[in-house]
């Protein structure tokens, strides 16, 4: 745009236009700047308030965990022999623990080889675990006296062929199989030896190795792959360390354990055995762990008090100066503050215990709105009912029936008591074979090439296995062998599927899935030539498992295995229980309660969620900020047009004045040339 300069009239048009535009701009800009500063201040203040609320929310994690108020601590007077740890299930008390023997794992050593690359042989190594009866060279004479299979350990077969038939190849194949055996090569100064060690301690976790030697076809000689055999037919490895159970005395009672980590001797207490008790029995003391509960309470109180201080600062008004904080009088801030104060003073919903409010356990509200903890009173409350304090804070589901465990209570679960009625217990899929003659020592059952192959589908996953060949002198031994080889099938173990096999009183093999529910099944889809006649196992589908069924509060619940869950849309939605046994029919009432910390968590989740109260208020202010940006753009545009209009008007005025002045000059000249009367115009 060409600026007006007032050339024609001499007017200072630039100053006139600037002055008039500024007269329009300044008050409009001041108004927008003040609004912008106010909105920015509110946004910042709401962010600060939101942070304080989020801090309170995060402080509630431990308080909403019922386990926080059921913890126990354990200590040992002799950590050199036994270290103790307690869970919430432990009962307070003290125990005398004396360790007389540590558990150890078995180790086996091969004969000497000239180098790691020496060829051992080819075939199959079948490794099983159980209790080995073995007489070592000292006191001697060295002998392999027997083996009892551990049915709870899966067996495995490892193929040794031309790709891994060297000493180091066999070592790698065993380690890669990841079956619970560690293999290393040792150089004893004259030869290389393969050292095999069970990765688990205990007598029942020693190693048996059977060999199918495809090299020379002889499985028991001291040549080829058979050099690694260790069983009742051929013991070509030497036992260098015997498997042993840990032995200890608990309050004078003799106890054994396969592991040095003992979890099932004292309820709720884990003992780690680290050495033999040289100086007598250690005293293991179990006590309430109040420190974790008190720490959780203090963390929450500090977070809430920080929120109160922050909220007071953001909503303050100074009567002397008239200065108001950013959120003074703000409806959203006032709502958040009031809702938190109300929740703090509420009671635990549905909890039938000695306490129901924070004040009853020594957490009171001061005159300034902050919380304070009465140390003497909270100690008394801990003494009166440490486990009961969890109901003041957490969400609980409880039932007296020992065969029912409440796993979860959902946000949608309505507080109250609900009658539990079980109409069907969960079962496992199973298949029972035909009756066979029970094997005995005098008439063992022989598993060989015509009855050892078996294909199954367990819980919908198929696997093919080969039973370990040999003579079985009892139905229990046969069942253990079948269970071990099925559970060792790669397809099943990768899917987390396992079975339990037993030999019934009716002389039948029974294969039972370890899973409960309608997805539990056992089916035989292929057998060997004589499996039906000799083992009683033929192609057949077993009986499928069934889910638990029943009602909760008179409403049909959803069964999934042993889990019984509240139906969606009902008052018991989100309630999950495990029914592990017991009778059909009425099983008592499950009570659902919701503590203050849980109520606070629900409240704060709502305040902080997307589209929640704080988010909505922030979005509203941001919309106003965005609208100000549009007003700034509109102001600039309006002033631009105003300036242009002023310039147009002043330019027109300048031209008009210039024309008037030109006309004035012309008229002056013309008037000056007109002769006046009586004047001499001859010249």
């Amino acid at each position: 745009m060409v600026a007006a300069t007032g050339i024609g009239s001499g007017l200072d048009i630039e100053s006139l236009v600037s002055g008039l535009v500024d007269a329009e701009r300044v008050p409009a800009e001041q108004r927008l700047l003040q609004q912008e500063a106010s909105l920015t201040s509110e946004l910042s203040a709401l962010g600060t308030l939101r942070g304080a609320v989020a801090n309170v929310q995060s402080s509630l994690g431990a308080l909403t965990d019922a386990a926080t108020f059921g913890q126990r601590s354990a200590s040992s007077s002799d950590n050199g022999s036994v270290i103790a740890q307690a869970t919430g299930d432990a009962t307070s008390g003290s125990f005398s623990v004396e360790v007389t023997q540590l558990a150890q794992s078995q180790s086996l050593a091969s004969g000497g080889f000239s180098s790691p690359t020496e060829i051992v042989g080819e075939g199959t190594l079948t490794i099983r675990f159980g209790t080995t009866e073995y007489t070592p060279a000292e006191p001697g004479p060295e002998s392999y006296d027997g083996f009892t299979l551990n049915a709870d350990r899966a067996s495995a077969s490892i193929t040794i062929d031309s790709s891994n038939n060297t000493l180091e190849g066999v070592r790698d194949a065993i380690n890669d199989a990841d079956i619970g055996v560690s293999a290393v090569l040792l150089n004893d100064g004259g030869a290389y030896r393969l050292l095999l060690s069970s990765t688990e301690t205990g007598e029942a976790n020693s190693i048996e190795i059977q060999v199918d030697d495809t090299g020379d076809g002889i499985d028991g000689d001291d040549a080829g792959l058979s050099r690694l055999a260790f069983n009742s037919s051929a013991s070509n490895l030497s036992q260098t360390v015997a498997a042993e159970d840990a032995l200890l005395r608990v309050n004078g009672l003799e106890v054994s354990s396969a592991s040095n980590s003992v979890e099932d001797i004292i309820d709720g207490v884990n003992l780690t055995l680290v050495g033999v008790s040289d100086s007598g029995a250690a005293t293991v003391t179990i006590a309430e762990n109040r420190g974790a509960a008190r720490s959780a309470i203090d963390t929450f109180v500090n977070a809430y008090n920080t929120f109160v201080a922050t909220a007071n600062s953001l909503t303050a008004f100074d009567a002397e100066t008239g200065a108001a904080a950013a959120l003074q009088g703000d409806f959203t801030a006032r709502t958040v503050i009031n809702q938190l104060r109300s929740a703090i003073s509420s009671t635990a919903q549905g909890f039938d215990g000695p306490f129901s409010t924070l004040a009853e356990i020594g957490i009171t509200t001061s005159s300034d709105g902050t919380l304070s903890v009465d140390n003497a009173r909270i100690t008394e409350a801990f003494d009166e009912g440490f486990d009961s304090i969890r109901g003041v804070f957490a969400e609980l589901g409880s039932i007296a029936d020992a065969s029912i465990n409440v796993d979860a209570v959902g946000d949608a679960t309505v507080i109250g008591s609900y009658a539990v009625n079980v109409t069907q217990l969960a079962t496992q899929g199973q298949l029972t074979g035909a009756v066979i003659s029970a094997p005995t020592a005098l008439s063992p059952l022989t598993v060989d090439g015509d009855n050892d192959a078996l294909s199954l589908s367990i819980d919908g996953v198929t696997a093919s296995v080969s039973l370990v060949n040999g003579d079985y002198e009892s139905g229990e031994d046969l069942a253990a062998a079948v269970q071990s080889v099925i559970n060792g099938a790669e397809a099943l173990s990768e899917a987390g599927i396992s079975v339990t096999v037993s030999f019934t009183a009716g002389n039948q093999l029974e294969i039972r899935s370890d899973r409960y529910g309608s997805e539990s099944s056992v089916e035989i889809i292929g057998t060997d030539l004589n499996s039906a006649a000799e083992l009683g196992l033929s192609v057949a589908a077993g009986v499928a498992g069934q889910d638990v069924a029943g009602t909760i509060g008179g409403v049909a619940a959803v069964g999934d295995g042993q889990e019984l869950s509240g139906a969606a849309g009902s008052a018991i939605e989100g309630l999950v229980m495990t029914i592990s046994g017991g009778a059909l029919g009425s099983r008592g009432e499950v009570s659902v309660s919701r503590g203050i910390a849980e109520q606070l968590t629900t409240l704060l989740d709502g305040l902080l969620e997307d589209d929640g109260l704080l988010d909505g208020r922030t979005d509203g202010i941001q919309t106003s900020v965005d609208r100000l940006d549009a007003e700034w753009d509109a102001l600039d545009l309006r002033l631009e047009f105003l300036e242009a209009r002023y310039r147009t008007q002043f330019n027109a005025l300048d031209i008009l004045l210039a024309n008037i002045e030109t006309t004035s000059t012309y008229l002056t000249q013309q008037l000056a040339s007109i002769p006046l009367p009586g004047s001499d115009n001859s010249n």
Side-chain angles (χ1 to χ4, degrees):
M1 178 184 294
V2 178
T5 60
I7 294 175
S9 65
L11 291 173
D12 188 357
I13 293 177
E14 284 298 322
S15 296
L16 290 172
V17 171
S18 296
L20 290 171
V21 172
D22 286 345
E24 293 281 346
R25 174 187 288 112
V26 171
E29 284 184 342
Q30 289 298 320
R31 176 181 61 80
L32 292 177
L33 287 172
Q34 289 174 358
Q35 291 181 12
E36 193 174 66
S38 176
L39 292 173
T40 301
S41 179
E42 284 187 69
L43 273 179
S44 176
L46 279 173
T48 301
L49 182 65
R50 185 187 186 95
V53 172
N55 189 39
V56 175
Q57 180 193 47
S58 64
S59 74
L60 294 170
L63 289 179
T64 56
D65 184 357
T68 299
F69 300 93
Q71 293 186 24
R72 299 292 186 270
S73 61
S75 61
S76 169
S77 64
D78 181 11
N79 286 329
S81 62
V82 58
I83 298 172
Q85 291 180 311
T87 69
D89 297 329
T91 301
S92 298
S94 62
F95 303 86
S96 169
V97 179
E98 182 179 6
V99 182
T100 58
Q101 176 177 289
L102 291 178
Q104 63 183 20
S105 58
Q106 183 193 43
S107 288
L108 305 173
S110 71
F113 290 83
S114 61
S115 75
T117 58
E118 181 180 339
I119 293 177
V120 179
E122 297 181 14
T124 302
L125 301 175
T126 298
I127 298 178
R128 303 193 300 176
F129 300 91
T131 302
T132 300
E133 297 175 27
Y134 185 84
T135 302
E138 294 292 337
E142 186 175 6
S143 64
Y144 190 108
D145 304 317
F147 178 78
T148 302
L149 181 65
N150 181 352
D152 293 329
R153 293 291 304 277
S155 60
S157 295
I158 302 172
T159 300
I160 306 299
D161 54 27
S162 59
S163 67
N164 58 2
N165 60 0
T166 64
L167 186 62
E168 60 185 7
V170 172
R171 174 201 63 190
D172 294 342
I174 293 174
N175 288 332
D176 291 344
D178 192 23
I179 57 173
V181 177
S182 171
V184 297
L185 296 184
L186 295 180
N187 187 337
D188 63 6
Y192 288 89
R193 298 179 184 273
L194 182 65
L195 184 66
L196 304 177
S197 301
S198 173
T199 58
E200 294 191 25
T201 58
E203 292 180 0
N205 292 312
S206 61
I207 305 166
E208 180 203 62
I209 303 176
Q210 295 198 21
V211 178
D212 178 12
D213 193 332
T214 60
D216 58 15
I218 303 175
D219 299 335
D221 64 350
D222 192 15
L225 195 62
S226 301
R227 286 177 285 180
L228 303 183
F230 189 73
N231 55 68
S232 57
S233 299
S235 53
N236 296 326
L237 300 178
S238 297
Q239 178 175 278
T240 56
V241 178
E244 291 184 349
D245 287 342
L247 301 178
L248 61 158
R249 297 186 186 93
V250 179
N251 286 355
L253 179 67
E254 299 281 352
V255 178
S256 65
S257 168
S259 170
N260 290 317
S261 296
V262 184
E263 300 179 355
D264 54 1
I265 292 179
I266 304 173
D267 286 343
V269 180
N270 298 333
L271 302 176
T272 301
L273 312 182
V274 293
V276 173
S277 302
D278 295 327
S279 56
T283 299
V284 173
T285 303
I286 314 301
E288 294 173 344
N289 183 5
R290 299 182 176 183
R294 182 57 194 270
S295 175
I297 290 172
D298 289 343
T299 298
F300 160 66
V301 169
N302 291 335
Y304 182 79
N305 288 344
T306 299
F307 162 77
V308 171
T310 300
N312 288 343
S313 173
L314 295 173
T315 59
F317 177 77
D318 190 330
E320 293 183 0
T321 64
L327 298 180
Q328 201 281 322
D330 183 85
F331 172 78
T332 299
R334 187 166 63 250
T335 300
V336 170
I337 294 168
N338 290 339
Q339 287 184 350
L340 262 70
R341 285 176 178 170
S342 176
I344 288 296
S345 60
S346 65
T347 61
Q349 300 173 355
F351 179 59
D352 183 19
F355 318 111
S356 61
T357 67
L358 296 183
E360 288 175 345
I361 62 173
I363 305 173
T364 57
T365 304
S366 304
S367 58
D368 61 357
T370 59
L371 295 177
S372 60
V373 181
D374 184 330
N375 292 323
R377 175 55 195 144
I378 203 167
T379 299
E380 290 177 2
F382 281 170
D383 292 339
E384 292 171 21
F386 178 64
D387 291 340
S388 297
I389 292 178
R390 73 180 73 185
V392 178
F393 294 99
E395 188 173 59
L396 299 179
S398 60
I399 190 169
D401 194 312
S403 297
I404 300 178
N405 184 69
V406 181
D407 301 320
V409 175
D411 292 339
T413 310
V414 178
I415 303 304
S417 295
Y418 304 93
V420 177
N421 189 285
V422 177
T423 58
Q424 175 176 283
L425 290 172
T427 60
Q428 301 155 278
Q430 68 176 73
L431 184 148
T432 303
V435 176
I436 61 173
S437 297
T440 65
L442 295 177
S443 180
L445 189 152
T446 300
V447 173
D448 52 27
D450 64 8
N451 63 3
D452 61 354
L454 192 62
S455 295
L456 309 97
S457 173
I458 310 295
D459 302 345
V461 176
T462 60
S464 295
V465 299
S466 180
L467 304 181
V468 175
N469 289 190
D471 292 336
Y472 293 89
E473 298 180 352
S474 72
E476 290 72 22
D477 289 347
L478 176 62
V482 175
Q483 176 178 316
S484 178
V485 74
I486 292 176
N487 289 340
E490 184 176 1
L492 299 179
S493 59
E494 287 183 350
I497 294 172
S498 61
V499 301
T500 298
V501 181
S502 58
F503 195 73
T504 71
N507 297 341
Q508 301 158 290
L509 282 172
E510 181 181 89
I511 306 173
R512 184 185 301 269
S513 168
D514 288 337
R515 181 176 186 172
Y516 282 86
S518 56
E519 296 185 9
S520 173
S521 63
V522 177
E523 181 180 1
I524 296 178
I525 56 179
T527 62
D528 217 334
L529 180 65
N530 293 327
S531 297
E534 298 173 357
L535 302 179
L537 300 178
S538 58
V539 174
V543 178
Q546 60 186 15
D547 297 316
V548 65
T551 62
I552 305 174
V555 178
V558 179
D560 182 8
Q562 292 182 304
E563 285 189 354
L564 196 64
S565 305
S570 70
I572 52 173
E573 179 181 353
L575 179 62
V576 182
M577 298 182 294
T578 296
I579 316 293
S580 58
L584 299 181
S586 176
R587 301 289 289 273
E589 290 191 341
V590 56
S591 297
V592 177
S593 65
R594 187 165 287 121
I596 296 169
E598 190 66 40
Q599 297 174 48
L600 260 174
T601 297
T602 301
L603 169 65
L604 298 181
D605 286 347
L607 293 175
L608 295 171
E609 68 181 353
D610 292 343
D611 298 326
L613 181 62
L614 289 170
D615 192 53
R617 176 65 174 138
T618 300
D619 288 346
I621 296 175
Q622 187 59 53
T623 298
S624 297
V625 171
D626 295 340
R627 189 166 54 247
L628 279 182
D629 290 340
E631 289 189 37
W632 277 111
D633 292 340
L635 176 61
D636 289 341
L637 185 60
R638 182 167 64 85
L639 292 176
E640 182 179 338
F641 282 121
L642 182 63
E643 181 179 355
R645 181 162 59 85
Y646 282 155
R647 289 186 183 279
T648 299
Q649 291 174 341
F650 278 109
N651 281 332
L653 177 61
D654 183 50
I655 293 171
L656 178 61
L657 291 176
N659 290 337
I660 291 173
E661 187 170 344
T662 300
T663 302
S664 173
T665 301
Y666 172 77
L667 290 175
T668 301
Q669 292 174 350
Q670 291 299 316
L671 289 174
S673 66
I674 298 174
L676 296 175
S679 64
D680 184 4
N681 294 322
S682 59
N683 296 327

